[in-house]
Amino acid sequence: MKKRQRPEPTRVAFVSLGCAKNLVDSEKMLGQLAEAGCVITAEDDADVIVINTCGFLDASRVEADEVIRDATEQKRAGRIGRVVVAGCLVQRDKEAILDRIDGIDALVGVNNRDDVVRAVLGNPERQASTFATGLKQGKSRKLMNAARASTRLPILKPAARQADVYLADYHPFVQIDTARLRLTPRHYAYLRISEGCDQKCTFCTIPSIRGAMHCKPPELVLAEARELVSDGAVEISLIGQDTTSYGLGEDRIEGGLASLLRQLDRVDGLRWVRLMYVYPSVLSDDMLDAIAESEHVCKYIDIPLQHINDRVLKAMHRRIDRASTERLLERIRSRIPGVTIRTTMIAGFPGETDAEFDELVAFIRDFRFDALGVFPYSLEQDTPAGRMNGQLSDEVKESRVDALMTAQQQVAFALADERIGSTFEVIVDDHAKRGAVRARHQGQAPMVDSVTHVRNCSAPPGSLVTVRCIGRDDYDLVARPTQVPLSVLSA
């Protein structure tokens, strides 16, 4: 009897665009694909390419469209057989993506993440129709045999295939993020504690894309944290569109974020817990005390403020004014000694006057944030701010971004100079190159902040090393270990 050949697995290339929350979705989808028997590979060796898109800002949509068009061009050239587009852009634009970009085989919205395997392998009935069309066009019967015997996708003409659409408007609960195939280095990971947002800032599209806020139950958060630690993570960053509202909405959770931080602090093997995406109007003293009192919770707060002028804050619907913001920032510094405060600002919001902008610049100089990012206001048609009068030109917005970053650069360089001579702990991020490693202290979040370059160090990634700062390189710090191994001293 002739031995039946085992079908070859589908080879999948994956492109993840956007923020850390999108990265978690990508890691979960990769895990699902791997569990389904797919092989994750590079684009030049793939049968299918999956693009997990960002749709938050106009610039991110332009980037996503370029990546999708590149993939469909590869398909037309016969290098790949199927293009799957997932994520926020799909949820926002829906089937309109198919109208502007030809050659997409499947769409997967954010609420249909678990359908990614079906999207990659294709609708069986539709594939059979496609294969039959191929035979009518005179293709070999081997094509039909491949359809029956293999999960690999034959490369066919784009015109012979329709798009599979997996797109639901609402997901009634936060999705489970266990069993991920992680894209971050092994020693750090992101842990999503909530999904969606109820704040309704006038410039933001997140509620229309991700929906109302839902919180992951604490027992699931803790289980996921333990899974990540067992997979090698020693640092976890907590993420969500609004982490401070954890447990405050419809998904009422006793103790809220403060209780969750205290429980995570007791997870064996977890050395650093970092809090990201803090919303200022709901940051309580109990939360601040939990950060201050917990041994493994980083003394670090990422708190996007967006502006400081009262009129602009009201137009943004930020639910806070300048006086309240200043009192909050002082409370943060007084209740958490040595805290690092990172924020983001929006330059060029509709109607922002020169005087209002000057107020923002002066505030940045005076308060001296440890880290600050600036975005030019992005006009989003489906938001209240997009319909406001007084839209500013791109030239004005870009010039204001430059002015804010110049002001912050002066602050950041001065703060870095003040660290010279101090001693602190860092986590190593990469393998040694020419006797030095790239690392971060508790006030430096992965991917978004500056780093610390540690000389005379060969500690492997994930190691915690005590160092002394000896200088700076622009925004980055330069340091040496306080205890240098004998092998280095004798070199």
Side-chain angles (χ1 to χ4, degrees):
M1 180 182 292
K2 187 176 181 180
K3 189 175 180 179
R4 188 172 181 177
Q5 289 186 335
R6 181 176 297 177
E8 293 183 59
T10 300
R11 298 177 309 219
V12 181
F14 205 104
V15 178
S16 183
L17 304 174
C19 66
K21 297 177 286 293
N22 226 36
L23 183 70
V24 169
D25 282 334
S26 295
E27 292 176 338
K28 178 63 177 181
M29 287 189 280
L30 282 166
Q32 291 171 320
L33 290 167
E35 285 182 355
C38 297
V39 174
I40 310 304
T41 187
E43 288 184 35
D44 58 4
D45 187 45
D47 304 308
V48 184
I49 183 169
V50 180
I51 304 160
N52 192 24
T53 60
C54 175
F56 180 45
L57 300 174
D58 182 64
S60 62
R61 294 194 295 277
V62 170
E63 178 189 23
D65 278 4
E66 289 176 353
V67 174
I68 297 168
R69 286 194 172 93
D70 179 69
T72 56
E73 287 173 6
Q74 292 187 57
K75 176 184 164 183
R76 279 189 285 273
R79 290 190 289 272
I80 58 175
R82 190 170 176 84
V83 176
V84 177
V85 181
C88 290
L89 185 64
V90 174
Q91 198 67 35
R92 179 189 173 110
D93 290 356
K94 301 180 171 58
E95 287 93 340
I97 300 175
L98 303 175
D99 296 332
R100 67 174 183 264
I101 303 177
D102 183 48
I104 297 172
D105 296 281
L107 298 177
V108 181
V110 297
N111 299 317
N112 295 77
R113 188 183 67 182
D114 293 344
D115 290 313
V116 67
V117 173
R118 287 200 294 166
V120 164
L121 299 182
N123 183 320
E125 294 181 3
R126 193 164 291 159
Q127 281 191 37
S129 172
T130 300
F131 295 139
T133 301
L135 289 173
K136 288 177 183 177
Q137 293 173 350
K139 293 186 181 295
S140 168
R141 184 162 293 276
K142 290 181 181 178
L143 194 60
M144 183 64 81
N145 293 335
R148 296 191 181 117
S150 176
T151 56
R152 290 276 298 278
L153 298 172
I155 296 172
L156 298 171
K157 297 293 184 182
R161 186 181 284 149
Q162 301 175 30
D164 300 324
V165 178
Y166 302 93
L167 191 61
D169 289 334
Y170 179 68
H171 201 288
F173 53 88
V174 66
Q175 300 183 82
I176 308 303
D177 298 321
T178 53
R180 290 187 258 154
L181 184 61
R182 288 200 287 122
L183 297 171
T184 59
R186 190 181 180 201
H187 63 280
Y188 73 79
Y190 295 101
L191 201 168
R192 175 166 38 201
I193 64 174
S194 64
E195 181 65 284
C197 185
D198 294 335
Q199 297 298 342
K200 295 180 172 59
C201 299
T202 59
F203 54 83
C204 186
T205 59
I206 286 175
S208 65
I209 296 173
R210 293 279 179 172
M213 183 171 181
H214 294 288
C215 298
K216 192 178 292 182
E219 60 271 19
L220 294 183
V221 174
L222 292 169
E224 188 175 335
R226 294 187 184 101
E227 179 184 88
L228 292 169
V229 170
S230 69
D231 189 41
V234 294
E235 175 186 5
I236 287 178
S237 294
L238 303 182
I239 59 174
Q241 276 77 24
D242 169 13
T243 54
T244 33
S245 291
Y246 179 81
L248 301 180
E250 291 183 7
D251 304 324
R252 203 75 184 175
I253 296 172
E254 185 176 356
L257 179 65
S259 175
L260 182 66
L261 289 173
R262 291 186 171 100
Q263 292 179 75
L264 286 166
D265 188 51
R266 297 192 291 270
V267 172
D268 289 340
L270 186 54
R271 302 296 298 270
W272 287 3
V273 179
R274 187 182 303 280
L275 184 61
M276 308 293 289
Y277 304 104
V278 167
Y279 199 88
S281 65
V282 288
L283 182 57
S284 68
D285 288 347
D286 191 26
M287 297 173 192
L288 297 178
D289 291 343
I291 296 171
E293 297 164 4
S294 298
E295 178 184 358
H296 301 295
V297 176
C298 295
K299 312 317 171 197
Y300 176 100
I301 292 182
D302 168 48
I303 180 168
L305 296 175
Q306 313 303 8
H307 216 280
I308 197 58
N309 174 264
D310 284 341
R311 188 203 66 79
V312 177
L313 288 170
K314 184 176 180 180
M316 290 179 168
H317 196 235
R318 292 292 290 172
R319 309 185 191 210
I320 197 168
D321 59 15
R322 174 170 184 149
S324 298
T325 299
E326 291 177 325
R327 286 195 296 269
L328 171 63
L329 292 172
E330 291 307 320
R331 279 184 13 244
I332 293 173
R333 282 184 168 169
S334 65
R335 296 183 91 98
I336 311 175
V339 67
T340 293
I341 302 178
R342 172 186 173 79
T343 192
T344 55
M345 299 293 180
I346 294 176
F349 189 79
E352 182 188 58
T353 65
D354 290 341
E356 291 166 344
F357 175 71
D358 290 342
E359 180 183 350
L360 177 58
V361 174
F363 171 68
I364 288 173
R365 288 197 180 110
D366 293 341
F367 185 77
R368 304 181 83 212
F369 288 98
D370 299 279
L372 179 143
V374 182
F375 296 95
Y377 167 74
S378 177
L379 192 158
E380 306 299 324
Q381 296 290 350
D382 298 329
T383 62
R387 297 186 289 271
M388 290 180 181
N389 295 325
Q391 300 288 336
L392 303 180
S393 68
D394 290 342
E395 290 76 15
V396 169
K397 288 186 281 190
E398 290 298 337
S399 68
R400 291 183 177 183
V401 168
D402 291 343
L404 287 173
M405 290 310 299
T406 297
Q408 175 60 22
Q409 184 184 67
Q410 296 167 356
V411 171
F413 286 1
L415 291 174
D417 288 337
E418 291 172 13
R419 274 193 169 269
I420 297 175
S422 65
T423 300
F424 47 87
E425 189 177 56
V426 297
I427 189 167
V428 176
D429 272 344
D430 64 3
H431 292 281
K433 297 176 182 177
R434 291 190 288 275
V437 297
R438 188 178 71 251
R440 292 174 291 105
H441 59 71
Q442 282 199 14
Q444 295 171 319
M447 307 299 293
V448 294
D449 288 328
S450 60
V451 299
T452 300
H453 300 283
V454 184
R455 297 176 180 172
N456 296 344
C457 182
S458 58
S463 301
L464 292 171
V465 180
T466 301
V467 301
R468 178 173 289 106
C469 184
I470 60 172
R472 70 169 173 88
D473 182 5
D474 288 337
Y475 292 93
D476 297 337
L477 301 178
V478 180
R480 293 181 186 272
T482 55
Q483 295 183 341
V484 182
L486 292 176
S487 59
V488 173
L489 290 173
S490 60

